[in-house]
Amino acid sequence: MAVNERFETLIQERVLEPSGFVSATFSGVRRHQTLQWQKITLRPVMLKGAWHLQIIYFDGRHDIRENVTQEAAEKALQDLLAMPFSHYFVRTTEDELHIRITKKGKALIKKQRTSTSLPNMNHDRRKHLPLPDHVHDPYLQASGIMNAQGQVLANKRSKFVQINKFLQLVEEMAELKRFEHTPLHILDCGCGSAYLTFAVHHYLNHKLQIPTVTVGVDISEKLLQRHQAIVEQMGWDNIHFEIGTIIEYEPTFQPDIVLALHACDTATDEALAKAIWSKSQLIFSVPCCHHHLQEQLENSVVISPFEPVLRHNILRERMGDILTDSFRAAILRILGYKTQVIEFVSSEHTARNLMIRAVYDGNVADKNHIREYIALKSMWNVTPYLETLLGDSFSALIE
Ligand SMILES: C[S@@+](CC[C@H](N)C(=O)[O-])C[C@H]1O[C@@H](n2cnc3c(N)ncnc32)[C@H](O)[C@@H]1O
């Protein structure tokens, strides 16, 4: 345990960070002090599409709830931290913070790294699904997910779940408001059947009322006719589709948000490279298969303590998946993106259920991030495809 690190700052940094805060509890009372509350619990909630801090005061018999806006949360938290609690527990997506104030008034601080996904921030999950079931939605009907009565078709249930989860993961970060301009520009790489492309476009424009222009790119030409039919049916003139590879696509605008959902193998790397080059502020990528690094692992002659893992095909494949996405996240961190790797949907809906979610924060070439990346690379003696794509500018940065 560390002693006397300024504990209030550690709590504030975590609670006031919407993209990572999960929950907090303040309890107990310091020696010779009194407190009106037995316990205070904090959690994030989304109300009318905006992040709020919910404060639950417990006096031993009743809960009293208060929801404060993000703007008012700093002051509210300051007031709570001025109360003489003796125990503090804060959970974020990346760590857990335990603080105990000793009898002599010292703060004993313990941090533990963990990996938790953000909680469901809605009071009533069904009512607050971004595009809910049992509520007729013209786009969901046009795309064949829902019927005219607002019921989701049985064979489209997984798609419906994926779309809603994706929209929740976009919205819960409360990062859409970082943009001061409209329209926002979205680039969906490897858009395929474009369920997601249309859904995100629809949700931002028509539910969140954020004017948005969207482009979907895919090498497959055969779906274009179907996309065009939906565009015409919906009367949307601010979404279109381009045929070609992600890497060769030259956007006519700078994308604010880059999406890549289940873009095959190295197409995910192409999407990440495109996002990095075009300085996209937000990236949401759900990788698919990971063959490129798998091949390097198969051909690797490095004798490592992981030999018992690499010997078995299925374990080697899973190790390759994990390493590929770890390298991708590490590269994004080096290039100034605050990056999370989180669960997308539960594995009953798809085995490819991990999301890399990144927000540009400008902290480029952090020495620790570079050191971690080089160490991981040299241990496995591999070169991630994303590094190859990024070329000399990235190599110069990590030298
Ligand atoms: C598994 S599908 C996913 C489609 C869509 N994003 C979704 O989640 O429903 C992958 C798509 O990526 C496209 N694709 C693969 N490699 C690509 C590349 N290098 N450039 C553009 N599209 C690519 C394929 O044609 C396919 O439509």
Side-chain angles (χ1 to χ4, degrees), residues 115 123 201 220 229 297 339 348 392 399:
S115 180
H123 296 302
H201 180 82
S220 165
L297 287 180
T339 306
E348 75 190 88
D392 292 345
E399 261 167 25

Side-chain angles (χ1 to χ4, degrees), residues 15 38 57 140 158 184 203-204 244 251 304 307 333 350 356 383:
V15 174
Q38 226 173 64
Y57 302 86
L140 290 181
S158 281
L184 295 190
Y203 188 61
L204 263 62
S304 83
E307 214 44 49
R333 278 195 198 99
T350 169
I356 299 176
T383 302

Side-chain angles (χ1 to χ4, degrees), residues 159 190-193 217-220 244-246 261-264 267 270 288:
K159 224 11 129 192
C191 61
S193 49
V217 177
D218 202 288
I219 35 172
S220 165
T245 64
I246 298 160
L261 180 66
H262 295 147
C264 323
E270 292 183 24
C288 194

